Amino acid sequence: EAQVTQNPRYLITVTGKKLTVTCSQNMNHEYMSWYRQDPGLGLRQIYYSMNVEVTDKGDVPEGYKVSRKEKRNFPLILESPSPNQTSLYFCASRGEAQETQYFGPGTRLLVL
Amino acid sequence: GNSVTQMEGPVTLSEEAFLTINCTYTATGYPSLFWYVQYPGEGLQLLLKATKADDKGSNKGFEATYRKETTSFHLEKGSVQVSDSAVYFCALRKGLLGSQGNLIFGKGTKLSVKP
């Protein structure tokens, strides 16, 4: 089954404790991206990647890092989480020449 | 810059009512337009799309027509069901390559359908 998976689905952490949210897709897609969803703000893009070792900033990259060492994986790293990073995070992927973008189920993060 | 504006919610309707969720966009050229749906506790799913002017996207009884002259892509359904309760996002994309391949979303409209 074609899918985008994220782990963990729920995470409670404390300020400053480094964390990684994993994202994996099994569709051999070139394009992957991370979004955060906040009430009243909709979805905002954090980072995106057009292929292995090619990443770029989205609209709200501050406080986040990403890497793309393998085509299927695109982890989101919070080196020193802060409460304003409490949010719902979505990973997404798309084939380079395809219109449809597929989303993961989301990771709900609470930073205390 | 490129942007999407959609009507604010929440929208509450009775079952079998007619639904319209307005969406307008700002972009140069001919972007592709999308409606995504997010059911409670789930990720976003593509509902329908249109890639050029006057195209009509349709799926699950929902329709939207790409209107270049009014820069709009309004979502409609003739008879909503309780199972249509969800958040609906309008989005655009300028192209497929590079930063043009990024989706730009509206803020979402929450729909609640009462039996």
Side-chain angles (χ1 to χ4, degrees), chain B:
Chain B
N2 304 315
S3 65
V4 175
T5 303
Q6 58 183 106
M7 62 187 287
E8 292 189 21
V11 174
T12 302
L13 296 173
S14 297
E15 208 164 22
E16 299 184 3
F18 185 86
L19 169 71
T20 300
I21 300 178
N22 290 335
C23 171
T24 57
Y25 68 89
T26 301
T28 56
Y30 297 88
S32 295
L33 302 174
F34 305 84
W35 277 101
Y36 278 83
V37 59
Q38 183 182 28
Y39 297 104
E42 298 184 12
L44 279 74
Q45 304 173 25
L46 179 66
L47 181 60
L48 53 84
K49 65 183 179 187
T51 58
K52 60 184 189 294
D54 299 325
D55 268 3
K56 177 186 282 188
S58 61
N59 186 25
K60 299 182 181 180
F62 291 89
E63 293 182 341
T65 301
Y66 189 141
R67 301 285 188 201
K68 181 69 175 174
E69 64 276 13
T70 54
T71 62
S72 64
F73 193 54
H74 304 321
L75 182 68
E76 297 182 336
K77 186 175 185 183
S79 176
V80 294
Q81 306 300 312
V82 172
S83 57
D84 294 325
S85 298
V87 180
Y88 293 81
F89 291 92
C90 186
L92 72 80
R93 186 169 64 228
K94 290 292 299 293
L96 290 173
L97 302 178
S99 62
Q100 295 214 331
N102 294 335
L103 279 170
I104 298 168
F105 286 93
K107 293 184 178 181
T109 302
K110 183 175 182 179
L111 170 67
S112 295
V113 180
K114 306 298 184 186

Side-chain angles (χ1 to χ4, degrees), chain A residues 62-101:
Chain A
E62 295 78 19
Y64 304 94
K65 286 176 56 177
V66 293
S67 69
R68 187 93 181 272
K69 293 182 169 50
E70 303 166 285
K71 196 171 186 180
R72 64 182 293 128
N73 296 323
F74 190 45
L76 179 69
I77 302 156
L78 285 71
E79 295 268 3
S80 183
S82 62
N84 65 11
Q85 292 177 298
T86 292
S87 187
L88 179 59
Y89 292 87
F90 289 101
C91 180
S93 75
R94 173 175 62 81
E96 188 175 53
Q98 296 175 356
E99 288 283 356
T100 302
Q101 187 153 271

